[in-house]
Amino acid sequence: MSKSYFEKAMKTTVTIIYGMLMLIGFNNVAQSEENLEPHGYSNILEAIEIDKTSNIESAKKYIELLEKDYEKLNPDEKELFTLFKGHALALEGKFDDSTKKLEELIRNSKNETLVTRAHALISNIYLFAGNYEQAYQHASDAIEGLDSMDSHPWHKYAALQNLTSLFRQSGMTNTAIGYARQMLKVVSQNKHPLQLCGSYFELADLELSIKSVDMARIHSEEAMLHCNEANDPIYYTLALDLQTKLMAQANKSDKALELLKEHYPVVKSVDYKTMTNVFEIRLASTYLELKDFTNAQTIAELAYQRAEELNDKVRLMELSKILASVYSETGELKKAVEYYRQYIDLEKEIDIMTNKRKMAYYMVSRRK
């Protein structure tokens, strides 16, 4: 994919009207907030469904729009809006507000599909907040509700995506792969490019983590194809990161570097910190593999600061290892030792967290 095409895809994330034309599929969407017709609420909700992780700013504006007209929504629209609002609050880091919204939906809704989605989503929020037993209890409830979900093309996909994420973050890779495969089976029926993009990426990334390189390469190629078609800049960036990992394993780090350098300015322009951090780690690692220690150090230090802002211990661990290697190679041994110790401490901390999560999962499973 050319740089100019990727830049066009990135600009889509901040162009609301263009996004609506592409995603909602009807022409008369450039209406003012004051003149929003009631029949348009379902279309706006459909746009949020697609945008909520891929085009966060667009989804946020849609949510603000519907929040003003909340009393005009019908009961089903109100419940779906509550689900999306809970998701948006979680992305903002407002975990208490998010879980309050989602718990309220779970208690009061009679819509089994939305309740299942709420369970799957809230399980990830509780996991991130360190409330492991609550996380796995909600995950268990979500798993029980999967078979009773309706046939709407986005509902089961979203629930399975959340479950895949939950078990990936818990270190239960084989369980995560099982849900990723279920997700791919579900979306293969609907064949929506964005769903295929996300499903193939999740599966490929998990396969690479267990050294199933051949399958990861096959599914990574599929991810790139569908993420391109979906015009989704965030998933495309993640798929590109995955491709460069595979290139590095095939001793093609120079080719990987070309791709990373080409797209790095465009990735930064989106201002999505987590995605930028992932990209910077891959870029710093690739510079290190090619023994360009000056650029490796510059990018890794920048990425380290970003990971600190995000309080992302996993990425801080990765960056500590990269910086330890860089400083060792450049003769700054005191700094190398400092970062290596930090890497060991973070690795132990993450292992402890993973074990706690697995124990909580075991305790919840025994109750069933």
Side-chain angles (χ1 to χ4, degrees):
M1 175 180 286
S2 68
K3 182 178 180 182
S4 62
Y5 185 89
F6 192 65
E7 286 174 341
K8 182 178 178 182
M10 288 296 184
K11 288 176 183 176
T12 303
T13 65
V14 294
T15 309
I16 298 172
I17 294 175
Y18 178 77
M20 290 176 73
L21 287 169
M22 292 297 292
L23 300 174
I24 301 174
F26 71 108
N27 293 323
N28 189 27
V29 296
Q31 50 193 319
S32 69
E33 293 184 17
E34 294 80 8
N35 193 34
L36 184 63
E37 295 294 332
H39 65 74
Y41 295 137
S42 60
N43 289 319
I44 297 297
L45 286 163
E46 195 74 17
I48 296 171
E49 180 78 82
I50 299 171
D51 280 358
K52 63 185 184 298
T53 52
S54 299
N55 192 341
I56 296 169
E57 283 304 311
S58 174
K60 184 178 179 180
K61 289 180 181 179
Y62 292 146
I63 287 170
E64 289 171 356
L65 180 64
L66 292 184
E67 204 155 25
K68 293 176 182 177
D69 277 4
Y70 179 77
E71 294 305 323
K72 297 179 184 179
L73 305 181
N74 66 40
D76 290 340
E77 290 169 343
K78 285 181 178 178
E79 290 190 346
L80 188 55
F81 171 79
T82 299
L83 180 74
F84 293 155
K85 180 65 177 178
H87 185 275
L89 287 166
L91 288 178
E92 293 173 24
K94 299 176 181 177
F95 301 123
D96 289 343
D97 292 338
S98 174
T99 52
K100 184 178 178 181
K101 281 273 183 192
L102 295 169
E103 294 279 15
E104 181 183 342
L105 178 62
I106 290 167
R107 284 194 307 272
N108 299 329
S109 178
K110 295 181 180 179
N111 185 323
E112 292 183 13
T113 292
L114 291 188
V115 168
T116 298
R117 283 193 62 175
H119 278 305
L121 174 56
I122 203 172
S123 69
N124 280 266
I125 299 168
Y126 277 130
L127 186 78
F128 188 82
N131 298 324
Y132 302 139
E133 286 201 33
Q134 285 175 290
Y136 294 120
Q137 184 59 62
H138 281 288
S140 178
D141 291 335
I143 291 165
E144 283 188 6
L146 285 175
D147 290 339
S148 62
M149 296 184 81
D150 66 32
S151 59
H152 188 285
W154 286 95
H155 289 322
K156 201 164 206 176
Y157 166 74
L160 288 167
Q161 191 177 45
N162 284 140
L163 289 169
T164 301
S165 173
L166 177 90
F167 289 110
R168 174 211 289 274
Q169 298 301 322
S170 302
M172 301 180 206
T173 306
N174 288 332
T175 304
I177 287 175
Y179 286 110
R181 287 174 178 158
Q182 281 192 53
M183 181 166 57
L184 183 57
K185 185 176 180 181
V186 166
V187 305
S188 294
Q189 300 169 16
N190 185 44
K191 298 189 183 301
H192 190 289
L194 182 55
Q195 294 177 351
L196 288 165
C197 157
S199 299
Y200 275 115
F201 166 75
E202 295 285 0
L203 189 54
D205 200 35
L206 285 162
E207 287 166 339
L208 185 58
S209 73
I210 61 168
K211 312 300 182 187
S212 181
V213 178
D214 290 339
M215 291 306 299
R217 185 171 287 110
I218 291 168
H219 289 142
S220 175
E221 292 290 347
E222 289 285 346
M224 292 289 285
L225 175 68
H226 295 296
C227 293
N228 180 2
E229 185 181 353
N231 206 24
D232 184 294
I234 291 175
Y235 257 126
Y236 178 82
T237 299
L238 294 172
L240 185 66
D241 173 65
L242 185 60
Q243 284 274 293
T244 57
K245 286 181 188 176
L246 289 164
M247 287 176 187
Q249 287 204 355
N251 296 317
K252 297 179 181 177
S253 294
D254 52 345
K255 185 177 179 182
L257 182 62
E258 287 178 20
L259 277 174
L260 291 164
K261 285 171 64 177
E262 180 182 5
H263 294 300
Y264 182 44
V266 190
V267 171
K268 286 194 295 183
S269 73
V270 178
D271 195 25
Y272 181 24
K273 289 182 180 180
T274 298
M275 181 181 73
T276 304
N277 210 216
V278 168
F279 208 85
E280 286 170 341
I281 291 169
R282 179 57 38 211
L283 185 54
S285 177
T286 305
Y287 274 127
L288 179 60
E289 288 162 8
L290 293 169
K291 301 189 182 304
D292 184 344
F293 304 123
T294 300
N295 278 314
Q297 178 182 332
T298 300
I299 297 295
E301 287 177 345
L302 183 65
Y304 187 92
Q305 291 175 9
R306 204 182 304 277
E308 279 191 316
E309 289 176 28
L310 294 165
N311 193 29
D312 190 328
K313 294 185 185 298
V314 172
R315 293 191 175 94
L316 281 170
M317 180 185 70
E318 292 179 55
L319 287 160
S320 295
K321 188 175 183 180
I322 291 171
L323 286 167
S325 297
V326 168
Y327 287 124
S328 176
E329 292 287 352
T330 56
E332 298 185 64
L333 299 183
K334 186 176 180 180
K335 284 187 176 181
V337 170
E338 179 184 335
Y339 277 107
Y340 184 70
R341 283 176 177 165
Q342 192 172 91
Y343 165 72
I344 295 297
D345 289 343
L346 285 165
E347 187 178 46
K348 287 178 181 176
E349 186 177 343
I350 290 165
D351 283 345
I352 289 169
M353 287 169 57
T354 300
N355 289 334
K356 284 182 178 178
R357 289 170 178 174
K358 289 180 178 179
M359 180 58 70
Y361 177 69
Y362 174 71
M363 294 299 292
V364 170
S365 299
R366 286 192 62 188
R367 295 174 193 159
K368 293 291 178 181

